[in-house]
C-alpha cells in the first residue's frame, strides 16, 4: 500500500504531528534546529509560537516553500531582539504592525554552533535568508480597502484576519500543544478538495487585493474558487478603486512572477479583475505568446538587460499591445516609476511606427532606436523575433549600437579642425557611413572625412 500523504494522515484524525518527522520533509536539519531554538526563546517569554500561512499550506501539499512565517502570542519585536542578541544577524522591526524580519547572520556554521546543533557537514548548513516574526493580532477595517486598525490578540484572531482557509492554518511549535494543527475554518478539508474559500463574507471588500491573490493561488495550485467565494469576489470588484496603485502593482508583479502567469492573467481578464483596475487594462492571448518568448532568458543577456527585474520587462511586453495613451493612464494608476512608464509608452510608440522603421537605412534605424529606452526596443524585437526586422533589431543590440567611427576627436584636431559642435556632426556622419557600409576601413573613412571637411 502506498504511504499516506501527510494531508491524508491529518484528515484521518491525526491532528497532533510529530514535528521533527514532519518538518524533515520540508526543511534542512539546520533550519529545524533553528526553529526549535526560536521556540525555546518563545517559551522563555511564556509566549506560544506557531508556524502559519503559506509554509503550513505547502507543507501539507508537499510543495517546497522556505518562507517561514512565525506568529507569537506575545511581542514579536522583543522575540526578534532576543534572537539577534543571542545568534546575531539583523532585525528590521515594524513597530506599528508589531512585526519584525530577522535576517540570519552571515556565518552559518557559527549560527549552527550557537543553536547547539552539532554538525559533521563540510558544506555550509542550509538556512533561510530571513524569518518573519509576527505578533498575533486582530485587524479591523473602517471602510472597504482601507488599511486595517491593528491590535494584539490571540492566535485564533490572527488566523481570522487571513485571506483563505488554506492560508489560515497554524502549527504550534511550543509547549503542550507542540505539533498541534489549528484549523478552525476547515482549511484542511479545502486543501483536500482543492478549494479557495474566504473566511467571511466581507473578506474581499475589506481588502480587495485578496481578489488578485485568489486568482493567483487558484492558478498556482490548480484549485477552484469556491462558488460563494466567487460570487463575493465578483461583487467586490467595485471596491478595487479604493486600493492604492502601489498595492495593486505589487499584486500584479506577484502574478507575473508565477510560473502559471499566463493562466493567472487570463483568469483575471475573464473575471473582470483587470477591468476593475483600469477600464483599458486587458489580457489577450497574443500577450501570452509574447511573454512566453521571454522565457529562454539568454535573450536578455544579448541585450544587456539581464539585471532588469523580470517583472519590469513583463509589464512592458504585456502593455506593448495597448494604445500608448491607455498605457500612460494605466501606469499612472499603478504608480509606475517615470522610467517604467516611459519604457512602456515608448515600446507602444515603437510598435506603432514599425512600418516606417522597417524602411530606414541602418544608420537611421540606429539613430531612431537610440532615442528610445533599450527595454522598449527589446519589446519591439520580441514582437518580431521570427522575422527579418527582428534579426536587424538583434544586430542593433549585439553590434550596431556599439559601433563608433574609426576616427575620433583627436584625429579631427590633428587635421587642424577647431574643436566645436561640428565635431559631433562630423563623427556622426562617419559613424553612419560605417553603419551603412559606405566605408569599410580606416583609409576609406579618412577619405570620406576629407570630402566632408572640404564640403
Ligand atoms: P506565497 O507562497 O506566494 O509566498 P503565502 O501564502 O506565503 O504565499 P504571503 O503573501 O507570503 O503568502 O503571506 C503570508 C500569509 O499572510 C498568507 O498565507 C496569509 O495567511 C496572510 N496574508 C497575506 N496577505 C494577506 C491579505 N491581503 N489578506 C489576508 N491575509 C493575508
Amino acid at each position: 500500500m502506498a504511504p499516506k500523504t501527510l494531508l491524508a494522515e491529518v484528515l484521518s484524525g491525526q491532528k497532533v504531528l510529530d514535528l521533527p518527522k514532519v518538518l524533515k520533509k520540508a526543511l534542512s536539519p539546520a533550519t529545524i534546529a533553528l526553529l526549535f531554538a526560536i521556540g525555546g526563546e518563545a517559551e522563555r517569554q511564556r509566549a506560544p509560537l506557531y508556524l502559519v500561512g503559506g509554509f503550513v499550506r505547502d507543507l501539507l501539499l508537499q510543495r517546497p516553500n522556505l518562507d517561514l512565517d512565525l506568529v507569537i502570542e506575545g511581542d514579536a519585536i522583543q522575540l526578534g531582539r532576543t534572537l539577534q542578541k543571542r545568534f546575531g544577524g539583523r532585525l528590521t522591526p515594524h513597530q506599528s504592525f508589531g512585526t519584525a524580519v530577522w535576517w540570519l547572520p552571515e556565518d552559518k556554521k557559527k549560527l549552527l554552533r550557537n543553536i547547539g546543533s552539532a554538525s559533521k557537514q563540510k558544506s555550509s548548513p542550509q538556512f533561510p535568508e530571513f524569518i518573519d516574526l509576527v505578533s498575533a493580532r486582530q485587524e479591523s477595517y473602517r471602510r472597504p480597502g482601507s488599511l486595517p486598525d491593528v491590535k494584539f490578540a490571540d492566535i485564533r484572531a490572527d488566523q481570522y484576519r487571513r485571506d483563505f482557509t488554506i492560508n489560515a492554518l497554524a502549527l504550534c511549535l511550543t509547549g503542550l500543544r507542540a505539533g498541534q494543527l489549528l484549523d478552525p475554518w476547515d482549511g484542511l478539508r479545502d486543501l483536500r478538495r482543492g478549494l479557495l474559500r474566504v473566511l467571511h463574507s466581507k473578506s474581499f471588500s475589506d481588502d480587495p487585493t485578496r481578489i488578485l491573490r485568489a486568482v493567483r493561488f487558484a492558478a498556482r495550485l490548480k484549485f477552484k474558487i469556491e462558488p460563494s467565494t466567487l460570487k463575493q469576489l465578483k461583487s467586490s470588484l467595485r471596491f478595487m478603486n479604493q486600493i492604492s496603485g502601489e498595492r495593486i502593482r505589487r499584486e500584479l508583479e506577484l502574478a507575473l512572477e508565477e510560473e502559471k502567469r499566463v493562466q493567472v492573467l487570463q483568469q483575471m481578464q475573464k473575471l473582470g479583475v483587470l477591468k476593475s483596475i483600469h477600464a483599458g487594462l486587458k489580457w489577450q492571448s497574443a500577450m501570452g505568446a509574447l511573454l512566453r518568448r521571454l522565457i529562454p532568458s539568454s535573450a536578455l543577456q544579448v541585450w544587456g538587460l539581464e539585471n532588469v527585474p523580470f517583472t519590469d520587462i513583463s509589464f512592458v511586453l504585456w502593455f506593448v499591445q495597448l494604445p500608448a495613451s491607455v498605457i500612460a493612464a494605466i501606469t499612472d494608476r499603478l504608480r509606475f516609476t517615470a522610467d517604467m512608464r516611459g519604457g512602456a509608452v515608448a515600446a507602444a510608440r515603437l510598435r506603432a511606427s514599425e512600418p516606417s522603421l522597417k524602411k530606414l537605412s541602418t544608420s537611421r534605424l540606429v539613430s531612431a532606436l537610440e532615442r528610445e529606452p533599450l527595454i522598449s526596443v527589446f519589446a519591439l524585437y520580441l514582437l518580431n523575433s521570427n522575422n527579418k526586422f527582428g534579426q536587424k533589431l538583434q544586430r542593433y543590440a549585439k553590434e550596431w549600437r556599439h559601433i563608433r567611427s574609426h576616427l575620433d576627436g583627436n584625429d579631427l584636431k590633428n587635421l587642424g579642425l577647431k574643436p566645436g559642435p561640428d565635431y559631433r556632426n562630423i563623427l556622426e556622419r562617419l559613424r553612419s557611413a560605417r553603419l551603412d557600409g559606405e566605408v569599410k576601413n580606416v583609409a576609406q573613412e579618412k577619405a570620406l572625412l576629407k570630402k566632408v571637411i572640404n564640403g
Side-chain angles (χ1 to χ4, degrees):
M1 211 171 62
K4 258 191 180 176
T5 62
L6 180 57
L7 182 57
E9 275 175 33
V10 293
L11 278 164
S12 66
Q14 194 207 328
K15 292 264 163 80
V16 181
L17 307 181
D18 176 346
L19 278 176
K21 186 173 144 211
V22 166
L23 293 175
K24 218 165 105 182
K25 294 179 200 261
L27 298 173
S28 67
T31 305
I32 297 173
L34 179 64
L35 274 182
F36 286 129
I38 300 173
E41 280 309 327
E43 277 174 350
R44 268 188 279 284
Q45 295 179 13
R46 297 181 193 287
L49 185 74
Y50 305 84
L51 267 166
V52 292
F55 176 81
V56 182
R57 173 197 72 217
D58 289 342
L59 180 74
L60 290 155
L61 290 175
Q62 295 175 304
R63 292 174 63 92
N65 186 338
L66 288 179
D67 282 344
L68 298 179
D69 285 325
L70 292 174
V71 169
I72 182 166
E73 284 182 308
D75 186 342
I77 297 179
Q78 191 192 331
L79 174 67
R81 293 225 161 91
T82 318
L83 294 172
Q84 185 191 21
K85 211 159 147 193
R86 261 194 78 184
F87 303 124
R90 266 184 318 116
L91 196 74
T92 317
H94 300 284
Q95 290 292 350
S96 49
F97 294 111
T99 63
V101 182
W102 178 39
W103 299 87
L104 271 53
E106 293 287 321
D107 187 343
K108 299 293 188 291
K109 288 200 167 168
K110 188 167 161 204
L111 173 61
L112 198 64
R113 282 197 303 278
N114 283 346
I115 56 180
S117 179
S119 167
K120 295 184 192 77
Q121 265 183 289
K122 286 218 175 70
S123 55
S124 183
Q126 297 291 308
F127 284 109
E129 209 184 329
F130 62 87
I131 294 185
D132 279 314
L133 305 168
V134 173
S135 308
R137 64 185 197 254
Q138 187 177 4
E139 291 179 345
S140 53
Y141 295 79
R142 285 184 206 185
R143 52 183 168 75
S146 66
L147 289 176
D149 295 325
V150 173
K151 68 174 192 233
F152 290 145
D154 60 10
I155 185 67
R156 194 182 161 90
D158 194 274
Q159 286 173 282
Y160 192 59
R161 74 179 170 88
R162 290 173 186 271
D163 45 6
F164 308 111
T165 60
I166 62 164
N167 286 345
L169 294 155
L171 176 56
C172 187
L173 292 174
T174 50
L176 292 175
R177 297 209 295 178
Q180 204 170 326
L181 252 179
L182 310 186
D183 178 25
W185 287 279
D186 274 341
L188 290 168
R189 190 194 55 190
D190 288 339
L191 272 182
R192 183 188 55 203
R193 295 187 183 170
L195 288 180
L196 276 159
R197 183 196 307 270
V198 284
L199 273 53
H200 55 86
S201 60
K202 279 175 66 202
S203 186
F204 287 126
S205 57
D206 278 349
D207 178 359
T209 65
R210 292 174 186 160
I211 293 176
L212 294 118
R213 291 175 62 85
V215 180
R216 185 158 60 83
F217 286 122
R220 184 200 300 172
L221 302 172
K222 297 207 190 94
F223 275 28
K224 281 210 157 50
I225 300 176
E226 176 273 332
S228 73
T229 295
L230 187 62
K231 219 163 138 194
Q232 289 160 29
L233 180 156
K234 287 181 180 161
S235 68
S236 304
L237 287 172
R238 64 203 153 101
F239 298 119
M240 196 64 85
N241 61 7
Q242 311 279 332
I243 301 292
S244 73
E246 286 87 347
R247 290 184 68 205
I248 298 182
R249 191 183 69 228
R250 181 65 199 133
E251 287 299 331
L252 291 176
E253 279 169 0
L254 292 172
L256 288 167
E257 280 167 10
E258 289 288 329
E259 204 175 310
K260 298 230 161 59
R261 57 186 72 80
V262 170
Q263 287 88 326
V264 177
L265 292 162
Q266 261 165 358
Q267 194 59 10
M268 285 186 183
Q269 169 72 26
K270 200 167 146 203
L271 293 174
V273 178
L274 297 180
K275 213 167 51 185
S276 76
I277 294 171
H278 186 279
L281 184 61
K282 57 179 155 198
W283 180 261
Q284 292 159 334
S285 52
M287 295 165 171
L290 194 59
L291 220 53
R292 284 197 189 96
R293 285 189 206 159
L294 182 61
I295 295 308
S297 56
S298 51
L300 291 173
Q301 269 165 18
V302 171
W303 283 76
L305 291 170
E306 65 273 26
N307 294 327
V308 178
F310 178 80
T311 47
D312 284 7
I313 299 187
S314 304
F315 273 126
V316 172
L317 294 178
W318 174 4
F319 295 168
V320 69
Q321 313 196 39
L322 301 173
S325 59
V326 171
I327 300 174
I330 293 171
T331 49
D332 284 347
R333 166 71 180 105
L334 297 180
R335 297 265 179 186
F336 276 64
T337 59
D339 269 2
M340 268 298 288
R341 182 187 197 271
V345 171
R349 209 174 41 226
L350 279 169
R351 177 169 181 259
S353 52
E354 200 180 291
S356 52
L357 289 172
K358 280 179 172 162
K359 291 187 200 138
L360 296 179
S361 65
T362 303
S363 64
R364 283 175 175 264
L365 178 64
V366 168
S367 93
L369 298 180
E370 276 175 346
R371 283 196 287 271
E372 305 294 356
L374 194 59
I375 196 172
S376 320
V377 186
F378 176 68
L380 185 66
Y381 158 69
L382 277 194
L383 283 163
N384 285 282
S385 61
N386 297 325
N387 64 35
K388 278 207 165 140
F389 185 52
Q391 285 166 12
K392 276 193 174 181
L393 295 171
Q394 178 90 326
R395 280 191 77 182
Y396 166 76
K398 271 193 185 162
E399 189 189 332
W400 293 341
R401 69 192 169 109
H402 304 298
I403 286 182
R404 299 284 168 267
S405 53
H406 293 290
L407 305 175
D408 60 15
N410 283 329
D411 297 300
L412 303 192
K413 213 166 158 190
N414 292 339
L415 282 172
L417 269 182
K418 239 172 101 190
D422 273 354
Y423 267 41
R424 211 177 137 212
N425 297 337
I426 295 173
L427 293 175
E428 263 312 304
R429 170 74 183 89
L430 299 181
R431 182 186 183 218
S432 295
R434 201 176 161 194
L435 281 166
D436 293 335
E438 197 186 324
V439 300
K440 299 213 161 46
N441 51 42
V442 190
Q444 288 179 1
E445 202 172 296
K446 279 186 176 159
L448 176 64
L449 176 60
K450 271 199 194 129
K451 250 206 251 166
V452 172
I453 294 173
N454 297 330

